Short mmCIF file of all heavy atoms in Angstrom, two decimals:
data_model
loop_
_atom_site.label_atom_id
_atom_site.label_comp_id
_atom_site.label_asym_id
_atom_site.label_seq_id
_atom_site.Cartn_x
_atom_site.Cartn_y
_atom_site.Cartn_z
N MET A 1 -71.02 -30.44 -10.48
CA MET A 1 -72.18 -30.93 -9.75
C MET A 1 -73.31 -29.93 -9.81
O MET A 1 -73.09 -28.73 -9.73
CB MET A 1 -71.78 -31.15 -8.28
CG MET A 1 -72.79 -31.93 -7.48
SD MET A 1 -72.53 -31.68 -5.70
CE MET A 1 -74.03 -30.87 -5.27
N VAL A 2 -74.50 -30.41 -9.96
CA VAL A 2 -75.68 -29.53 -9.99
C VAL A 2 -76.34 -29.59 -8.62
O VAL A 2 -76.49 -30.67 -8.04
CB VAL A 2 -76.67 -29.99 -11.08
CG1 VAL A 2 -77.93 -29.15 -11.04
CG2 VAL A 2 -76.01 -29.92 -12.45
N ALA A 3 -76.71 -28.40 -8.08
CA ALA A 3 -77.35 -28.36 -6.76
C ALA A 3 -78.71 -29.04 -6.81
O ALA A 3 -79.37 -29.05 -7.84
CB ALA A 3 -77.53 -26.90 -6.34
N PRO A 4 -79.12 -29.65 -5.69
CA PRO A 4 -80.44 -30.28 -5.65
C PRO A 4 -81.56 -29.26 -5.84
O PRO A 4 -81.38 -28.07 -5.56
CB PRO A 4 -80.51 -30.91 -4.26
CG PRO A 4 -79.44 -30.25 -3.46
CD PRO A 4 -78.39 -29.81 -4.43
N ALA A 5 -82.72 -29.73 -6.28
CA ALA A 5 -83.82 -28.84 -6.65
C ALA A 5 -84.24 -27.93 -5.49
O ALA A 5 -84.59 -26.77 -5.71
CB ALA A 5 -85.02 -29.67 -7.13
N LYS A 6 -84.16 -28.45 -4.26
CA LYS A 6 -84.62 -27.62 -3.14
C LYS A 6 -83.73 -26.42 -2.91
O LYS A 6 -84.13 -25.47 -2.25
CB LYS A 6 -84.75 -28.47 -1.87
CG LYS A 6 -83.42 -28.94 -1.28
CD LYS A 6 -83.65 -29.63 0.05
CE LYS A 6 -82.36 -30.22 0.62
NZ LYS A 6 -81.28 -29.24 0.82
N ASP A 7 -82.50 -26.46 -3.44
CA ASP A 7 -81.60 -25.32 -3.29
C ASP A 7 -81.59 -24.42 -4.52
O ASP A 7 -80.81 -23.47 -4.60
CB ASP A 7 -80.17 -25.81 -3.03
CG ASP A 7 -80.05 -26.53 -1.69
OD1 ASP A 7 -80.83 -26.19 -0.78
OD2 ASP A 7 -79.19 -27.43 -1.56
N ALA A 8 -82.43 -24.73 -5.50
CA ALA A 8 -82.46 -23.94 -6.72
C ALA A 8 -82.90 -22.51 -6.42
O ALA A 8 -83.73 -22.27 -5.54
CB ALA A 8 -83.41 -24.58 -7.74
N LEU A 9 -82.33 -21.57 -7.15
CA LEU A 9 -82.68 -20.17 -6.95
C LEU A 9 -83.88 -19.80 -7.81
O LEU A 9 -84.00 -20.26 -8.94
CB LEU A 9 -81.50 -19.27 -7.33
CG LEU A 9 -80.26 -19.38 -6.44
CD1 LEU A 9 -79.13 -18.56 -7.05
CD2 LEU A 9 -80.57 -18.92 -5.03
N GLY A 10 -84.75 -18.97 -7.27
CA GLY A 10 -85.83 -18.40 -8.06
C GLY A 10 -85.35 -17.09 -8.67
O GLY A 10 -84.35 -16.52 -8.23
N CYS A 11 -86.07 -16.60 -9.66
CA CYS A 11 -85.67 -15.36 -10.33
C CYS A 11 -85.51 -14.22 -9.32
O CYS A 11 -84.58 -13.43 -9.41
CB CYS A 11 -86.72 -14.98 -11.37
SG CYS A 11 -87.15 -16.31 -12.51
N ARG A 12 -86.41 -14.17 -8.35
CA ARG A 12 -86.42 -13.05 -7.43
C ARG A 12 -85.30 -13.11 -6.39
O ARG A 12 -85.08 -12.16 -5.66
CB ARG A 12 -87.78 -12.93 -6.73
CG ARG A 12 -88.91 -12.61 -7.72
CD ARG A 12 -90.15 -12.11 -7.01
NE ARG A 12 -89.93 -10.90 -6.26
CZ ARG A 12 -89.88 -9.68 -6.78
NH1 ARG A 12 -90.09 -9.51 -8.06
NH2 ARG A 12 -89.66 -8.63 -6.02
N ASP A 13 -84.59 -14.23 -6.31
CA ASP A 13 -83.43 -14.26 -5.43
C ASP A 13 -82.38 -13.27 -5.90
O ASP A 13 -81.64 -12.70 -5.10
CB ASP A 13 -82.83 -15.67 -5.39
CG ASP A 13 -83.70 -16.64 -4.61
OD1 ASP A 13 -84.26 -16.23 -3.59
OD2 ASP A 13 -83.82 -17.80 -5.05
N CYS A 14 -82.30 -13.07 -7.21
CA CYS A 14 -81.34 -12.09 -7.75
C CYS A 14 -82.05 -10.85 -8.29
O CYS A 14 -81.56 -9.75 -8.14
CB CYS A 14 -80.53 -12.72 -8.89
SG CYS A 14 -79.63 -14.20 -8.39
N HIS A 15 -83.21 -11.05 -8.92
CA HIS A 15 -83.91 -9.94 -9.56
C HIS A 15 -84.88 -9.29 -8.60
O HIS A 15 -86.10 -9.42 -8.76
CB HIS A 15 -84.64 -10.43 -10.81
CG HIS A 15 -83.71 -10.86 -11.90
ND1 HIS A 15 -83.06 -9.99 -12.74
CD2 HIS A 15 -83.29 -12.09 -12.26
CE1 HIS A 15 -82.30 -10.64 -13.58
NE2 HIS A 15 -82.42 -11.93 -13.32
N ALA A 16 -84.38 -8.64 -7.58
CA ALA A 16 -85.24 -7.97 -6.61
C ALA A 16 -84.41 -6.97 -5.82
O ALA A 16 -83.19 -7.09 -5.76
CB ALA A 16 -85.88 -8.98 -5.66
N ALA A 17 -85.10 -6.01 -5.21
CA ALA A 17 -84.41 -5.14 -4.26
C ALA A 17 -83.91 -6.04 -3.13
O ALA A 17 -84.62 -6.96 -2.72
CB ALA A 17 -85.38 -4.08 -3.74
N GLU A 18 -82.72 -5.80 -2.65
CA GLU A 18 -82.11 -6.63 -1.61
C GLU A 18 -81.88 -8.06 -2.09
O GLU A 18 -81.81 -8.99 -1.28
CB GLU A 18 -82.97 -6.65 -0.33
CG GLU A 18 -83.30 -5.29 0.25
CD GLU A 18 -82.05 -4.51 0.66
OE1 GLU A 18 -81.14 -5.11 1.25
OE2 GLU A 18 -81.98 -3.31 0.36
N GLY A 19 -81.75 -8.27 -3.40
CA GLY A 19 -81.44 -9.60 -3.92
C GLY A 19 -80.01 -9.99 -3.59
O GLY A 19 -79.22 -9.18 -3.12
N ARG A 20 -79.65 -11.23 -3.86
CA ARG A 20 -78.32 -11.68 -3.44
C ARG A 20 -77.19 -11.07 -4.24
O ARG A 20 -76.03 -11.17 -3.84
CB ARG A 20 -78.23 -13.21 -3.45
CG ARG A 20 -78.69 -13.88 -4.71
CD ARG A 20 -78.21 -15.32 -4.78
NE ARG A 20 -78.76 -16.15 -3.69
CZ ARG A 20 -78.15 -17.22 -3.20
NH1 ARG A 20 -76.99 -17.59 -3.69
NH2 ARG A 20 -78.70 -17.93 -2.26
N LEU A 21 -77.49 -10.45 -5.39
CA LEU A 21 -76.44 -9.80 -6.16
C LEU A 21 -76.51 -8.28 -6.03
O LEU A 21 -75.96 -7.55 -6.85
CB LEU A 21 -76.54 -10.20 -7.63
CG LEU A 21 -76.44 -11.71 -7.93
CD1 LEU A 21 -76.45 -11.95 -9.43
CD2 LEU A 21 -75.18 -12.31 -7.31
N GLU A 22 -77.20 -7.79 -4.98
CA GLU A 22 -77.41 -6.35 -4.82
C GLU A 22 -76.10 -5.58 -4.81
O GLU A 22 -76.03 -4.48 -5.34
CB GLU A 22 -78.20 -6.10 -3.52
CG GLU A 22 -78.65 -4.66 -3.31
CD GLU A 22 -79.67 -4.20 -4.34
OE1 GLU A 22 -80.75 -4.82 -4.41
OE2 GLU A 22 -79.39 -3.24 -5.06
N LYS A 23 -75.05 -6.15 -4.23
CA LYS A 23 -73.81 -5.38 -4.04
C LYS A 23 -72.85 -5.50 -5.22
O LYS A 23 -71.78 -4.89 -5.21
CB LYS A 23 -73.12 -5.82 -2.75
CG LYS A 23 -73.91 -5.45 -1.51
CD LYS A 23 -73.11 -5.69 -0.23
CE LYS A 23 -73.91 -5.31 1.00
NZ LYS A 23 -75.10 -6.20 1.17
N VAL A 24 -73.18 -6.31 -6.22
CA VAL A 24 -72.31 -6.45 -7.38
C VAL A 24 -72.44 -5.19 -8.24
O VAL A 24 -73.53 -4.86 -8.68
CB VAL A 24 -72.69 -7.70 -8.20
CG1 VAL A 24 -71.77 -7.82 -9.42
CG2 VAL A 24 -72.59 -8.95 -7.34
N THR A 25 -71.32 -4.51 -8.46
CA THR A 25 -71.39 -3.27 -9.25
C THR A 25 -70.95 -3.54 -10.69
O THR A 25 -70.36 -4.57 -10.99
CB THR A 25 -70.46 -2.20 -8.64
OG1 THR A 25 -69.13 -2.72 -8.56
CG2 THR A 25 -70.94 -1.81 -7.25
N GLY A 26 -71.26 -2.60 -11.56
CA GLY A 26 -70.75 -2.65 -12.92
C GLY A 26 -71.61 -3.42 -13.90
O GLY A 26 -71.29 -3.47 -15.08
N ILE A 27 -72.68 -4.06 -13.43
CA ILE A 27 -73.58 -4.74 -14.36
C ILE A 27 -75.01 -4.29 -14.08
O ILE A 27 -75.32 -3.82 -12.99
CB ILE A 27 -73.52 -6.28 -14.25
CG1 ILE A 27 -73.80 -6.74 -12.82
CG2 ILE A 27 -72.19 -6.80 -14.76
CD1 ILE A 27 -73.98 -8.25 -12.70
N TYR A 28 -75.84 -4.46 -15.10
CA TYR A 28 -77.25 -4.11 -14.98
C TYR A 28 -78.05 -5.39 -14.74
O TYR A 28 -77.97 -6.32 -15.53
CB TYR A 28 -77.73 -3.41 -16.26
CG TYR A 28 -79.21 -3.25 -16.36
CD1 TYR A 28 -79.86 -2.22 -15.68
CD2 TYR A 28 -79.99 -4.13 -17.11
CE1 TYR A 28 -81.24 -2.07 -15.76
CE2 TYR A 28 -81.36 -3.99 -17.20
CZ TYR A 28 -81.98 -2.96 -16.52
OH TYR A 28 -83.34 -2.81 -16.60
N ILE A 29 -78.77 -5.46 -13.64
CA ILE A 29 -79.62 -6.62 -13.37
C ILE A 29 -81.05 -6.12 -13.23
O ILE A 29 -81.36 -5.41 -12.27
CB ILE A 29 -79.20 -7.35 -12.08
CG1 ILE A 29 -77.70 -7.71 -12.12
CG2 ILE A 29 -80.04 -8.60 -11.88
CD1 ILE A 29 -77.20 -8.40 -10.87
N PRO A 30 -81.92 -6.49 -14.17
CA PRO A 30 -83.31 -6.02 -14.11
C PRO A 30 -83.94 -6.36 -12.76
O PRO A 30 -83.78 -7.47 -12.25
CB PRO A 30 -83.99 -6.80 -15.25
CG PRO A 30 -82.88 -7.14 -16.20
CD PRO A 30 -81.67 -7.35 -15.34
N GLY A 31 -84.65 -5.41 -12.17
CA GLY A 31 -85.36 -5.63 -10.92
C GLY A 31 -84.59 -5.20 -9.69
O GLY A 31 -85.15 -5.08 -8.61
N ARG A 32 -83.32 -4.97 -9.83
CA ARG A 32 -82.48 -4.59 -8.70
C ARG A 32 -82.72 -3.13 -8.34
O ARG A 32 -82.81 -2.28 -9.23
CB ARG A 32 -81.01 -4.81 -9.09
CG ARG A 32 -80.06 -4.91 -7.94
CD ARG A 32 -78.77 -5.53 -8.37
NE ARG A 32 -78.03 -4.69 -9.33
CZ ARG A 32 -76.71 -4.72 -9.46
NH1 ARG A 32 -76.01 -5.54 -8.72
NH2 ARG A 32 -76.11 -3.97 -10.36
N ALA A 33 -82.75 -2.84 -7.02
CA ALA A 33 -83.08 -1.48 -6.59
C ALA A 33 -82.11 -0.47 -7.17
O ALA A 33 -82.52 0.60 -7.63
CB ALA A 33 -83.07 -1.43 -5.06
N SER A 34 -80.81 -0.78 -7.16
CA SER A 34 -79.82 0.20 -7.60
C SER A 34 -79.87 0.42 -9.11
O SER A 34 -79.24 1.35 -9.62
CB SER A 34 -78.43 -0.25 -7.19
OG SER A 34 -78.21 -1.60 -7.55
N ASP A 35 -80.58 -0.43 -9.84
CA ASP A 35 -80.68 -0.26 -11.29
C ASP A 35 -81.99 0.38 -11.71
O ASP A 35 -82.27 0.53 -12.89
CB ASP A 35 -80.53 -1.62 -12.00
CG ASP A 35 -79.10 -2.13 -11.92
OD1 ASP A 35 -78.17 -1.29 -11.89
OD2 ASP A 35 -78.90 -3.34 -11.87
N HIS A 36 -82.81 0.77 -10.73
CA HIS A 36 -84.06 1.44 -11.07
C HIS A 36 -83.80 2.88 -11.47
O HIS A 36 -82.95 3.54 -10.89
CB HIS A 36 -85.01 1.45 -9.86
CG HIS A 36 -85.89 0.24 -9.80
ND1 HIS A 36 -87.11 0.18 -10.41
CD2 HIS A 36 -85.70 -0.96 -9.22
CE1 HIS A 36 -87.65 -1.01 -10.18
NE2 HIS A 36 -86.81 -1.73 -9.46
N ALA A 37 -84.53 3.37 -12.46
CA ALA A 37 -84.54 4.80 -12.76
C ALA A 37 -85.94 5.28 -12.42
O ALA A 37 -86.89 5.03 -13.16
CB ALA A 37 -84.22 5.05 -14.23
N GLY A 38 -86.08 5.92 -11.27
CA GLY A 38 -87.39 6.29 -10.76
C GLY A 38 -88.22 7.10 -11.74
O GLY A 38 -89.39 6.80 -11.97
N TRP A 39 -87.59 8.08 -12.39
CA TRP A 39 -88.35 8.93 -13.32
C TRP A 39 -88.85 8.12 -14.51
O TRP A 39 -89.94 8.34 -15.03
CB TRP A 39 -87.49 10.11 -13.80
CG TRP A 39 -86.31 9.68 -14.65
CD1 TRP A 39 -85.05 9.38 -14.21
CD2 TRP A 39 -86.31 9.47 -16.06
NE1 TRP A 39 -84.27 9.00 -15.27
CE2 TRP A 39 -85.00 9.06 -16.41
CE3 TRP A 39 -87.27 9.60 -17.06
CZ2 TRP A 39 -84.66 8.76 -17.73
CZ3 TRP A 39 -86.91 9.30 -18.36
CH2 TRP A 39 -85.62 8.89 -18.68
N LEU A 40 -88.04 7.12 -14.94
CA LEU A 40 -88.44 6.31 -16.09
C LEU A 40 -89.61 5.40 -15.72
O LEU A 40 -90.55 5.22 -16.50
CB LEU A 40 -87.26 5.47 -16.58
CG LEU A 40 -87.47 4.71 -17.88
CD1 LEU A 40 -87.81 5.66 -19.03
CD2 LEU A 40 -86.22 3.92 -18.24
N ASP A 41 -89.58 4.83 -14.50
CA ASP A 41 -90.70 4.02 -14.03
C ASP A 41 -91.96 4.87 -13.99
O ASP A 41 -93.04 4.45 -14.43
CB ASP A 41 -90.41 3.46 -12.63
CG ASP A 41 -89.33 2.38 -12.65
OD1 ASP A 41 -89.01 1.90 -13.75
OD2 ASP A 41 -88.85 2.02 -11.57
N THR A 42 -91.83 6.09 -13.44
CA THR A 42 -92.99 6.99 -13.37
C THR A 42 -93.52 7.31 -14.76
O THR A 42 -94.72 7.25 -15.01
CB THR A 42 -92.60 8.29 -12.64
OG1 THR A 42 -92.03 7.95 -11.37
CG2 THR A 42 -93.81 9.18 -12.44
N ALA A 43 -92.60 7.63 -15.68
CA ALA A 43 -93.02 7.96 -17.04
C ALA A 43 -93.73 6.78 -17.68
O ALA A 43 -94.79 6.94 -18.32
CB ALA A 43 -91.80 8.37 -17.88
N GLY A 44 -93.21 5.59 -17.52
CA GLY A 44 -93.82 4.40 -18.11
C GLY A 44 -95.21 4.13 -17.57
O GLY A 44 -96.14 3.87 -18.32
N TRP A 45 -95.35 4.18 -16.24
CA TRP A 45 -96.65 3.91 -15.64
C TRP A 45 -97.65 5.01 -15.98
O TRP A 45 -98.84 4.76 -16.14
CB TRP A 45 -96.53 3.75 -14.13
CG TRP A 45 -96.01 2.39 -13.76
CD1 TRP A 45 -94.81 2.08 -13.20
CD2 TRP A 45 -96.68 1.14 -13.97
NE1 TRP A 45 -94.68 0.72 -13.05
CE2 TRP A 45 -95.81 0.12 -13.50
CE3 TRP A 45 -97.91 0.78 -14.52
CZ2 TRP A 45 -96.15 -1.23 -13.57
CZ3 TRP A 45 -98.24 -0.57 -14.58
CH2 TRP A 45 -97.38 -1.55 -14.11
N THR A 46 -97.15 6.27 -16.11
CA THR A 46 -98.03 7.36 -16.53
C THR A 46 -98.57 7.09 -17.92
O THR A 46 -99.77 7.23 -18.18
CB THR A 46 -97.27 8.70 -16.50
OG1 THR A 46 -96.76 8.91 -15.18
CG2 THR A 46 -98.18 9.85 -16.87
N LEU A 47 -97.70 6.68 -18.84
CA LEU A 47 -98.14 6.37 -20.20
C LEU A 47 -99.14 5.21 -20.19
O LEU A 47 -100.15 5.25 -20.90
CB LEU A 47 -96.93 6.00 -21.08
CG LEU A 47 -96.15 7.18 -21.66
CD1 LEU A 47 -94.97 6.66 -22.47
CD2 LEU A 47 -97.05 8.03 -22.53
N ALA A 48 -98.87 4.18 -19.40
CA ALA A 48 -99.78 3.04 -19.34
C ALA A 48 -101.14 3.47 -18.81
O ALA A 48 -102.18 3.09 -19.36
CB ALA A 48 -99.19 1.94 -18.44
N ALA A 49 -101.15 4.33 -17.77
CA ALA A 49 -102.41 4.80 -17.20
C ALA A 49 -103.17 5.65 -18.21
O ALA A 49 -104.40 5.52 -18.35
CB ALA A 49 -102.14 5.60 -15.92
N LEU A 50 -102.46 6.53 -18.93
CA LEU A 50 -103.11 7.38 -19.92
C LEU A 50 -103.69 6.54 -21.05
O LEU A 50 -104.78 6.83 -21.56
CB LEU A 50 -102.12 8.41 -20.48
CG LEU A 50 -101.76 9.55 -19.53
CD1 LEU A 50 -100.68 10.44 -20.14
CD2 LEU A 50 -103.00 10.38 -19.19
N THR A 51 -102.98 5.48 -21.44
CA THR A 51 -103.48 4.59 -22.49
C THR A 51 -104.78 3.92 -22.04
O THR A 51 -105.76 3.87 -22.80
CB THR A 51 -102.44 3.52 -22.83
OG1 THR A 51 -101.22 4.16 -23.19
CG2 THR A 51 -102.91 2.63 -23.97
N LEU A 52 -104.78 3.43 -20.80
CA LEU A 52 -105.98 2.80 -20.26
C LEU A 52 -107.13 3.80 -20.21
O LEU A 52 -108.26 3.50 -20.63
CB LEU A 52 -105.69 2.23 -18.87
CG LEU A 52 -106.87 1.56 -18.16
CD1 LEU A 52 -107.33 0.34 -18.94
CD2 LEU A 52 -106.49 1.16 -16.74
N LEU A 53 -106.83 5.00 -19.71
CA LEU A 53 -107.86 6.04 -19.61
C LEU A 53 -108.43 6.37 -20.99
O LEU A 53 -109.65 6.43 -21.17
CB LEU A 53 -107.25 7.30 -18.98
CG LEU A 53 -108.24 8.43 -18.69
CD1 LEU A 53 -109.17 8.02 -17.56
CD2 LEU A 53 -107.48 9.71 -18.33
N GLY A 54 -107.56 6.56 -21.98
CA GLY A 54 -108.00 6.87 -23.33
C GLY A 54 -108.89 5.77 -23.89
O GLY A 54 -109.91 6.05 -24.52
N THR A 55 -108.51 4.53 -23.67
CA THR A 55 -109.30 3.40 -24.17
C THR A 55 -110.68 3.37 -23.53
O THR A 55 -111.69 3.16 -24.22
CB THR A 55 -108.57 2.08 -23.87
OG1 THR A 55 -107.20 2.19 -24.27
CG2 THR A 55 -109.21 0.93 -24.61
N LEU A 56 -110.73 3.60 -22.22
CA LEU A 56 -112.01 3.58 -21.51
C LEU A 56 -112.91 4.71 -21.99
O LEU A 56 -114.11 4.50 -22.23
CB LEU A 56 -111.78 3.68 -20.00
CG LEU A 56 -111.15 2.44 -19.36
CD1 LEU A 56 -110.84 2.69 -17.88
CD2 LEU A 56 -112.06 1.24 -19.50
N VAL A 57 -112.34 5.92 -22.13
CA VAL A 57 -113.13 7.07 -22.58
C VAL A 57 -113.66 6.81 -23.99
O VAL A 57 -114.84 7.03 -24.28
CB VAL A 57 -112.29 8.36 -22.54
CG1 VAL A 57 -113.00 9.50 -23.25
CG2 VAL A 57 -112.00 8.75 -21.09
N HIS A 58 -112.80 6.30 -24.85
CA HIS A 58 -113.21 6.01 -26.22
C HIS A 58 -114.34 4.95 -26.24
O HIS A 58 -115.36 5.14 -26.90
CB HIS A 58 -112.00 5.50 -27.02
CG HIS A 58 -112.33 5.06 -28.41
ND1 HIS A 58 -112.32 5.91 -29.49
CD2 HIS A 58 -112.72 3.85 -28.89
CE1 HIS A 58 -112.67 5.25 -30.57
NE2 HIS A 58 -112.91 3.99 -30.24
N GLY A 59 -114.14 3.88 -25.49
CA GLY A 59 -115.15 2.82 -25.47
C GLY A 59 -116.46 3.33 -24.90
O GLY A 59 -117.54 3.03 -25.43
N PHE A 60 -116.38 4.11 -23.83
CA PHE A 60 -117.58 4.68 -23.23
C PHE A 60 -118.30 5.57 -24.24
O PHE A 60 -119.53 5.51 -24.38
CB PHE A 60 -117.20 5.48 -21.97
CG PHE A 60 -118.37 6.02 -21.23
CD1 PHE A 60 -119.21 5.18 -20.50
CD2 PHE A 60 -118.64 7.38 -21.24
CE1 PHE A 60 -120.29 5.69 -19.81
CE2 PHE A 60 -119.73 7.90 -20.56
CZ PHE A 60 -120.55 7.07 -19.84
N GLY A 61 -117.52 6.40 -24.96
CA GLY A 61 -118.11 7.26 -25.97
C GLY A 61 -118.84 6.47 -27.05
O GLY A 61 -119.94 6.83 -27.48
N ARG A 62 -118.26 5.36 -27.45
CA ARG A 62 -118.91 4.55 -28.49
C ARG A 62 -120.21 3.95 -27.98
O ARG A 62 -121.19 3.85 -28.73
CB ARG A 62 -117.96 3.43 -28.95
CG ARG A 62 -116.78 3.99 -29.72
CD ARG A 62 -116.10 2.91 -30.51
NE ARG A 62 -117.01 2.32 -31.47
CZ ARG A 62 -116.63 1.83 -32.64
NH1 ARG A 62 -115.38 1.88 -32.99
NH2 ARG A 62 -117.50 1.29 -33.46
N ILE A 63 -120.22 3.53 -26.70
CA ILE A 63 -121.44 2.97 -26.14
C ILE A 63 -122.53 4.03 -26.07
O ILE A 63 -123.68 3.81 -26.46
CB ILE A 63 -121.16 2.39 -24.73
CG1 ILE A 63 -120.28 1.15 -24.86
CG2 ILE A 63 -122.47 2.05 -24.01
CD1 ILE A 63 -119.75 0.61 -23.53
N VAL A 64 -122.15 5.24 -25.58
CA VAL A 64 -123.11 6.33 -25.43
C VAL A 64 -123.67 6.75 -26.79
O VAL A 64 -124.86 7.01 -26.95
CB VAL A 64 -122.45 7.53 -24.72
CG1 VAL A 64 -123.33 8.77 -24.83
CG2 VAL A 64 -122.17 7.18 -23.27
N LEU A 65 -122.81 6.82 -27.82
CA LEU A 65 -123.22 7.34 -29.13
C LEU A 65 -123.74 6.24 -30.06
O LEU A 65 -124.10 6.52 -31.20
CB LEU A 65 -122.04 8.05 -29.80
CG LEU A 65 -121.50 9.27 -29.04
CD1 LEU A 65 -120.32 9.88 -29.76
CD2 LEU A 65 -122.60 10.31 -28.82
N ARG A 66 -123.81 5.01 -29.55
CA ARG A 66 -124.17 3.89 -30.42
C ARG A 66 -125.54 4.06 -31.06
O ARG A 66 -125.74 3.75 -32.22
CB ARG A 66 -124.14 2.60 -29.60
CG ARG A 66 -124.38 1.33 -30.41
CD ARG A 66 -124.33 0.15 -29.49
NE ARG A 66 -125.11 0.45 -28.27
CZ ARG A 66 -125.45 -0.47 -27.38
NH1 ARG A 66 -125.10 -1.73 -27.57
NH2 ARG A 66 -126.12 -0.14 -26.31
N LYS A 67 -126.50 4.59 -30.29
CA LYS A 67 -127.86 4.64 -30.79
C LYS A 67 -128.07 5.72 -31.83
O LYS A 67 -129.04 5.70 -32.57
CB LYS A 67 -128.82 4.85 -29.61
CG LYS A 67 -128.83 3.62 -28.69
CD LYS A 67 -129.93 3.68 -27.66
CE LYS A 67 -129.87 2.49 -26.73
NZ LYS A 67 -128.67 2.53 -25.85
N ARG A 68 -127.17 6.73 -31.88
CA ARG A 68 -127.32 7.78 -32.90
C ARG A 68 -126.96 7.23 -34.27
O ARG A 68 -125.91 6.65 -34.47
CB ARG A 68 -126.38 8.95 -32.57
CG ARG A 68 -126.85 9.79 -31.42
CD ARG A 68 -126.13 11.11 -31.51
NE ARG A 68 -125.98 11.68 -30.18
CZ ARG A 68 -125.12 12.66 -29.91
NH1 ARG A 68 -124.35 13.14 -30.86
NH2 ARG A 68 -125.05 13.15 -28.71
N LYS A 69 -127.79 7.41 -35.22
CA LYS A 69 -127.51 6.91 -36.56
C LYS A 69 -126.86 8.00 -37.40
O LYS A 69 -127.13 9.15 -37.26
CB LYS A 69 -128.81 6.42 -37.23
CG LYS A 69 -129.18 5.03 -36.72
CD LYS A 69 -128.43 3.93 -37.50
CE LYS A 69 -127.98 2.81 -36.59
NZ LYS A 69 -129.08 2.09 -35.97
C1 HEC B 101 -78.06 -16.23 -9.67
C2 HEC B 101 -78.75 -14.97 -9.87
C3 HEC B 101 -79.84 -14.92 -10.95
C4 HEC B 101 -80.98 -15.69 -11.03
C5 HEC B 101 -81.46 -16.79 -10.09
C6 HEC B 101 -81.69 -15.21 -12.21
N1 HEC B 101 -80.99 -14.20 -12.82
FE1 HEC B 101 -81.56 -13.15 -14.46
N2 HEC B 101 -79.81 -12.13 -14.44
C7 HEC B 101 -78.83 -12.25 -13.48
C8 HEC B 101 -77.72 -11.38 -13.82
C9 HEC B 101 -76.42 -11.23 -13.03
C10 HEC B 101 -78.09 -10.70 -15.01
C11 HEC B 101 -77.28 -9.68 -15.82
C12 HEC B 101 -76.43 -10.44 -16.80
C13 HEC B 101 -75.63 -9.51 -17.66
O1 HEC B 101 -75.78 -8.30 -17.57
O2 HEC B 101 -74.83 -10.02 -18.46
C14 HEC B 101 -79.41 -11.19 -15.36
C15 HEC B 101 -80.12 -10.78 -16.47
C16 HEC B 101 -81.41 -11.14 -16.76
C17 HEC B 101 -82.21 -10.61 -17.83
C18 HEC B 101 -81.76 -9.55 -18.83
C19 HEC B 101 -81.04 -10.23 -19.94
C20 HEC B 101 -80.37 -9.24 -20.82
O3 HEC B 101 -80.17 -9.54 -22.02
O4 HEC B 101 -79.99 -8.15 -20.35
C21 HEC B 101 -83.42 -11.21 -17.78
C22 HEC B 101 -84.60 -10.98 -18.71
C23 HEC B 101 -83.38 -12.16 -16.69
N3 HEC B 101 -82.15 -12.09 -16.08
C24 HEC B 101 -84.41 -12.98 -16.33
C25 HEC B 101 -84.36 -13.96 -15.35
C26 HEC B 101 -85.41 -14.92 -15.10
C27 HEC B 101 -86.74 -14.97 -15.83
C28 HEC B 101 -84.98 -15.70 -14.06
C29 HEC B 101 -85.69 -16.91 -13.42
C30 HEC B 101 -86.07 -17.98 -14.31
C31 HEC B 101 -83.65 -15.22 -13.68
N4 HEC B 101 -83.31 -14.17 -14.49
C32 HEC B 101 -82.90 -15.73 -12.64
C33 HEC B 101 -78.86 -13.06 -12.38
C34 HEC B 101 -79.84 -13.99 -12.08
#
């Protein structure tokens, strides 16, 4: 039997901190608090921020130097 639509689970029911599968050990579930690697999240967001910063600086430089022939 398939559960009715109103009882359907959303992704975040399982893929979240305090999700319904939080206590299941031995598997990796993306989004779960116990599966986070804090340093890796920090490293990833740092790289993303640096990429954005580099793009903005480069674009700004091109705008500023555009008039020089
Ligand atoms: C009933 C709980 C549950 C729900 C609801 C759920 N997931 Fe998952 N999901 C899991 C579990 C458990 C795993 C890990 C499976 C494994 O390691 O074999 C997983 C794994 C994944 C993965 C990683 C797959 C991989 O190859 O490692 C992705 C991406 C994912 N889910 C996306 C979603 C999306 C998008 C939704 C909503 C449409 C969703 N999940 C809804 C329980 C759930």
Side-chain angles (χ1 to χ4, degrees):
M1 192 199 116
V2 176
K6 69 174 175 58
D7 294 331
L9 293 173
C11 309
R12 295 196 60 80
D13 287 322
C14 302
H15 293 281
E18 305 299 317
R20 50 164 63 207
L21 301 184
E22 188 65 60
K23 293 189 180 66
V24 180
T25 56
I27 56 171
Y28 169 80
I29 306 179
R32 199 162 66 152
S34 49
D35 289 329
H36 271 270
W39 66 269
L40 187 59
D41 290 346
T42 306
W45 282 112
T46 302
L47 278 179
L50 287 175
T51 304
L52 179 63
L53 185 70
T55 312
L56 291 174
V57 169
H58 175 89
F60 184 72
R62 291 197 60 148
I63 291 171
V64 168
L65 298 179
R66 185 180 45 168
K67 293 190 182 68
R68 286 199 209 163
K69 281 275 141 64

